[in-house]
């Protein structure tokens, strides 16, 4: 079997390449960045560059079809929205030459719309953050969440990020065609990750975020495998209702006040903490390959708990935010954050980039991260 993995600059793409390469599956990696850690992996058998979909959608699609024609891979693994959305517009043509394990476009685009996905969750009695409809009765800050985090505009894929709204004046100025307002509540991020075969769960995994970048909220730089019955119930409920197919991540946040899990969003792709899932015993990329290949997939609903996964460069950013970020109500202990950061050999911890049998991506990441930090400081 041969697998095409785009966005090899992403941690999740590297984790997928290592997973499949170790099992003898040939990985064709591609990216719009020549200098990326994934290309340094010995498990990335072939490497291709494509034009960035964030600058040239048509050129990107042409490049992907050219790579497929040349390499004839069996499976395209969705890694991020930027590399997936342009291909959905040519889905009929794409699926004639390669497998794309996703639900129908209508379902997929429905959950890409975060406002619509929130309504689906509410209709299933899954708790969600309160909508800030009446600003006169609202406490600040609020979360301005993009209705879609990525979309095609002209010949580019453009991305939107959430941000905090701290005043009535700022809230009134929000473009409601692009963002919707929700309550902010202190809590911890959790993820429910799963593989579904036309509405039937084949595997799932859950994790808790220990460090986010910055610490006020963002992607996780340190996370831990956990099991939460209510989290499982909600994750299975919404993906089963959608008759999901392929991989999905369902994000929740646990309210610090009452301990309830509140739905945040669904993404039908790989996730940044994929290495932790694999290290804990749920090898999603390989299970996906088995499903696509028509092999019998052993249902995987058990895994190691208490395993930690760390993104070292992200943890540097987390530490800097704890040490220097200003104007926040609640800050983690600075001494504790420093002690935790230098505990490089903590028991039951795996790293996103460091792997004993594949060290080059880790050294490449250190080099590239240093240059990015240097550029920020200088420019």
């Amino acid at each position: 079997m041969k697998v095409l993995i785009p966005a090899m600059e992403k941690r999740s793409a590297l984790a997928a390449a290592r997973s499949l390469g170790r099992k003898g599956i040939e990985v064709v990696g591609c990216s719009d960045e020549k200098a990326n850690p994934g290309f340094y992996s010995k498990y990335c058998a072939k490497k291709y560059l494509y034009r960035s979909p964030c600058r040239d959608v048509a050129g990107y699609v042409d490049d992907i079809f050219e790579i497929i024609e040349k390499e004839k891979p069996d499976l395209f693994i969705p890694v991020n929205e930027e590399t997936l959305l342009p291909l959905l517009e040519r889905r009929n043509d794409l699926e004639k030459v390669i497998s794309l394990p996703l639900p129908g476009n209508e379902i997929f685009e429905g959950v890409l719309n975060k406002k619509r996905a929130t309504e689906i969750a509410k209709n299933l009695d899954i708790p969600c953050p309160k909508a800030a409809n009446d600003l006169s009765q609202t406490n600040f800050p609020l979360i301005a969440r993009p209705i879609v985090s990525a979309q095609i505009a002209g010949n580019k894929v453009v991305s939107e990020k959430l941000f905090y709204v701290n005043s009535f004046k700022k809230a009134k100025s929000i473009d409601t065609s692009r963002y919707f307002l929700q309550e902010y509540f202190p809590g911890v991020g959790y993820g429910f990750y799963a593989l579904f075969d036309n509405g039937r769960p084949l595997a799932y995994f859950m994790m808790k975020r220990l460090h986010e970048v910055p610490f006020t909220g963002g992607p996780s730089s340190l996370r831990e495998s956990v099991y939460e019955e209510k989290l499982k119930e909600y994750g299975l409920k919404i993906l089963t209702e959608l008759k999901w197919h392929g991989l999905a991540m369902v994000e929740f946040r646990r309210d610090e006040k009452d301990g309830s899990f509140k739905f945040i969003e669904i993404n039908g792709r790989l996730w940044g903490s994929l290495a932790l899932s694999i290290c804990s015993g749920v090898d999603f990329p390989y299970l996906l390959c088995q499903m696509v290949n028509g092999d019998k997939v052993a249902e995987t609903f058990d895994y190691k708990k208490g395993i930690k996964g760390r993104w070292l460069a992200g943890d540097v950013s987390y530490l800097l935010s704890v040490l220097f970020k200003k104007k926040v109500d609640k800050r983690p202990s600075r001494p504790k954050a420093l002690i935790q950061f230098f505990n490089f050999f903590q028991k039951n911890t795996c790293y996103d980039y460091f792997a004993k049998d594949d060290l080059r991506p880790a050294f490449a990441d250190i080099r590239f991260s240093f240059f990015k930090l240097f550029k920020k400081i200088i420019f």
Side-chain angles (χ1 to χ4, degrees):
M1 192 174 192
K2 186 185 290 190
V3 174
L4 179 62
I5 303 180
M8 281 300 297
E9 71 279 3
K10 300 294 183 182
R11 291 173 287 131
S12 57
L14 172 62
R18 283 171 166 168
S19 157
L20 301 179
R22 287 168 181 149
K23 292 177 175 62
I25 295 172
E26 185 176 353
V27 172
V28 179
C30 47
S31 173
D32 62 351
E33 298 179 19
K34 186 176 181 180
N36 75 78
F39 275 1
Y40 285 79
S41 172
K42 70 180 184 181
Y43 296 112
C44 184
K46 295 183 180 178
K47 308 166 184 66
Y48 287 91
L49 289 172
Y50 50 66
R51 282 166 279 188
S52 170
C54 298
R55 294 190 293 271
D56 183 0
V57 163
Y60 163 74
V61 172
D62 287 344
D63 290 344
I64 289 294
F65 272 92
E66 187 176 320
I67 294 167
I68 292 172
E69 183 179 0
K70 184 173 181 179
E71 292 294 338
K72 295 181 172 49
D74 303 288
L75 168 65
F76 181 95
I77 294 188
V79 174
N80 59 358
E81 284 79 10
E82 289 81 1
T83 56
L84 183 57
L85 286 177
L87 296 176
L88 293 182
E89 297 192 339
R90 294 273 306 276
R91 183 166 183 169
N92 289 338
D93 295 330
L94 186 70
E95 290 189 316
K96 291 175 183 176
V97 292
I98 194 169
S99 291
L100 183 65
L102 290 173
N105 280 9
E106 185 177 348
I107 295 172
F108 190 82
E109 290 167 2
V111 302
L112 277 179
N113 185 307
K114 300 181 189 304
K115 193 172 184 179
R116 201 178 307 161
T118 301
E119 290 303 318
I120 293 171
K122 283 182 181 177
N123 291 337
L124 293 171
D125 295 321
I126 297 173
C128 300
K130 291 178 183 176
N133 294 323
D134 185 354
L135 295 177
S136 65
Q137 302 294 318
T138 298
N139 294 320
F140 291 93
L142 298 173
I143 300 291
R145 194 173 300 282
I147 294 175
V148 290
S149 56
Q151 61 184 320
I152 297 174
N155 193 35
K156 298 178 181 179
V157 177
V158 294
S159 300
E160 305 271 19
K161 295 187 181 298
L162 67 80
F163 57 90
Y164 293 90
V165 177
N166 293 299
S167 68
F168 180 83
K169 182 179 179 181
K170 180 68 174 176
K172 291 291 287 183
S173 70
I174 297 298
D175 183 349
T176 55
S177 68
R178 295 168 56 199
Y179 295 91
F180 63 108
L181 293 172
Q182 292 182 320
E183 66 166 347
Y184 165 79
F185 58 92
V188 177
Y190 282 76
F192 175 86
Y193 308 102
L195 172 64
F196 269 65
D197 184 5
N198 292 305
R200 181 172 69 92
L202 297 178
Y204 60 68
F205 172 79
M206 289 165 268
M207 71 88 176
K208 172 184 178 180
R209 293 177 170 184
L210 301 178
H211 292 169
E212 294 182 312
V213 184
F215 74 85
T216 49
S220 67
S221 60
L222 183 67
R223 74 295 292 194
E224 182 178 18
S225 59
V226 297
Y227 178 86
E228 294 283 351
E229 184 65 30
K230 190 58 75 171
L231 188 65
K232 181 191 81 171
E233 177 190 327
Y234 291 157
L236 288 176
K237 192 174 187 179
I238 194 167
L239 293 175
T240 301
E241 174 69 19
L242 290 167
K243 295 181 174 57
W244 195 263
H245 185 65
L247 297 168
M249 56 174 291
V250 190
E251 185 178 338
F252 294 86
R253 194 165 182 85
R254 192 168 207 168
D255 195 322
E256 190 178 273
K257 294 176 184 176
D258 60 14
S260 65
F261 290 104
K262 293 183 178 178
F263 170 85
I264 302 299
E265 64 181 13
I266 302 172
N267 291 300
R269 53 168 172 77
L270 297 183
W271 43 92
S273 56
L274 177 63
L276 174 61
S277 307
I278 297 169
C279 187
S280 300
V282 190
D283 195 338
F284 283 103
Y286 184 59
L287 294 173
L288 178 67
C289 286
Q290 288 182 308
M291 184 186 81
V292 168
N293 206 38
D295 300 334
K296 185 176 180 179
V297 180
E299 294 182 344
T300 308
F301 304 134
D302 190 25
Y303 51 88
K304 300 173 189 173
K305 287 79 175 178
I307 304 298
K308 293 178 181 177
R310 191 181 191 194
W311 170 30
L312 187 58
D315 238 12
V316 172
S317 297
Y318 165 80
L319 178 62
L320 292 175
S321 75
V322 171
L323 295 177
F324 302 115
K325 192 172 178 65
K326 298 178 181 178
K327 296 181 180 179
V328 292
D329 297 325
K330 191 174 181 181
R331 180 193 303 275
S333 163
R334 285 166 167 160
K336 186 177 178 181
L338 276 166
I339 293 169
Q340 286 180 338
F341 178 80
F342 289 104
N343 188 4
F344 296 120
F345 304 103
Q346 189 174 355
K347 189 178 178 182
N348 294 328
T349 299
C350 62
Y351 282 78
D352 291 349
Y353 283 109
F354 283 91
K356 289 181 180 179
D357 64 337
D358 191 33
L359 287 171
R360 292 181 68 208
F363 294 122
D365 178 57
I366 291 170
R367 188 165 78 251
F368 299 147
S369 297
F370 172 80
F371 283 130
K372 285 178 184 177
L373 181 62
F374 181 74
K375 278 173 136 181
K376 280 185 180 180
I377 294 171
I378 298 299
F379 300 107

